[in-house]
Each structure stands twice: as structure tokens, then as C-alpha cells.
Amino acid sequence: MGFSEELKKNRLIFYEEDVDRLNAGISKFIDTSQAECVLLVDIDGHLVTKQGYTKGINTDSIAALAAGSFASTKELAKQLGEHEFSVMFHQGKNENMHISSIEGRALIVIIFDDRTTIGMIRAYAEDLKVTLAEILKETAERKGGGVSDEYANDAANKIDDFFGED
């Protein structure tokens, strides 16, 4: 399988219903855990969705930086004989961040303050992880990632028509 085929195979395509389901699970988590906000980030660092209070936060930058941090931490884990560290925690004076992997496909980035505890976040994050993993699995199992072969071929032909074939 070539590089572009591998990318196509691993790329998730989300429909509005998928995002609605993801947001519902995240909103429930925020209500029970008292986290400030949650970002769902694909493994390449692209923001999939966000819920909660994000005013004043550059969520796109945080998504990209969290994915980069997680990737470098994965290498640290390998140096210690682990496949990966599935959870990272950063503690600040006012803000904290809990990052966990969803089966190597996405990251949950949870930002919280002293209105809750790391114990509460960890306990409820496991349930959130299970919920989101199921939705991501269903999304990945759709034929062609959600785009029909006919549509993909038609789009490729239109691009060839526009730019000219080689």
C-alpha cells in the first residue's frame, strides 16, 4: 500500500451526526467532571471538535502542540520499553491539562482548574474515552471513510479536467 493509500485508509471523515454525537459525549463529561473545556484532536494535530469554555484559548494551536507533545512522549516511552504513555498530565499554577490517547487515532485534551481534581478528571475521562472510541470506530468503518468510490473518482476526474492530465 502506497503512502497516499495509507493516508486515505487512516483519515477519518466526520458527518454532522458524528460531530453531534462526539459533542454530546464531551458535554456530558464536562458537566460531570467540572472541566473547563475539552478538545478532540486527531493524531495529526487537527482540531475535530471542542466543547466548554474556550474563550481566550487558541484551540488550533493547543491541538497541534498537544499532538506534537504526545508524539515526542511516545518516543520517550519507547526508550523505556513501553509502546506509549497513554496519558499525559501538565499542572500549572491556575490551569491543568490532561491528555489521553484514544486507541492511537485521536487525543482528548482536557483543560481544567481548581474547581475539580485530577482524580475526578481521570475517573470520568476513562468513560469519555470509551464513548468517543466507539464513535471513532464507527466512523472509521464506513466504506471509504465516508466518501463513495464514485464520488472520489468523479472528484479526481474534475481535478484532472481543471488542471489537465499528465
Side-chain angles (χ1 to χ4, degrees):
M1 180 180 313
F3 180 70
S4 62
E5 286 298 314
E6 185 68 26
L7 282 176
K8 181 180 175 186
K9 177 183 167 224
N10 291 328
R11 184 178 340 139
L12 293 176
I13 297 172
F14 297 98
Y15 291 121
E16 185 176 349
E17 306 84 55
D18 301 325
V19 176
D20 289 346
R21 290 176 61 209
L22 293 166
N23 285 339
I26 293 169
S27 290
K28 180 180 175 188
F29 167 81
I30 290 172
D31 289 344
T32 56
S33 71
Q34 295 300 302
E36 286 182 45
C37 67
V38 174
L39 313 178
L40 179 62
V41 179
D42 75 12
I43 205 67
D44 295 322
H46 302 108
L47 183 64
V48 175
T49 191
K50 62 186 175 184
Q51 289 290 298
Y53 185 75
T54 61
K55 187 175 181 178
I57 298 174
N58 185 335
T59 54
D60 289 323
S61 291
I62 289 176
L65 291 167
S69 179
F70 209 86
S72 66
T73 302
K74 188 173 184 173
E75 285 304 311
L76 287 170
K78 286 182 183 177
Q79 294 294 318
L80 297 173
E82 294 285 335
H83 173 68
E84 72 177 6
F85 294 133
S86 60
V87 175
M88 292 178 15
F89 173 66
H90 300 285
Q91 182 175 356
K93 183 177 179 183
N94 299 311
E95 301 290 335
N96 306 299
M97 186 179 295
H98 178 277
I99 305 170
S100 58
S101 173
I102 304 175
E103 298 176 1
R105 278 204 166 270
L107 301 173
I108 305 168
V109 179
I110 303 165
I111 299 172
F112 64 101
D113 60 18
D114 63 359
R115 290 178 296 152
T116 190
T117 65
I118 185 61
M120 292 281 288
I121 296 296
R122 281 193 148 149
Y124 291 118
E126 282 304 310
D127 292 338
L128 177 62
K129 197 167 147 178
V130 170
T131 299
L132 299 184
E134 183 59 35
I135 297 167
L136 293 176
K137 180 181 177 195
E138 291 170 13
T139 300
E141 288 175 348
R142 277 198 295 256
K143 183 174 173 15
V147 177
S148 72
D149 290 337
E150 181 181 340
Y151 178 84
N153 289 334
D154 188 43
N157 289 336
K158 296 286 187 208
I159 291 170
D160 287 344
D161 290 345
F162 183 76
F163 289 110
E165 293 186 60
D166 288 330

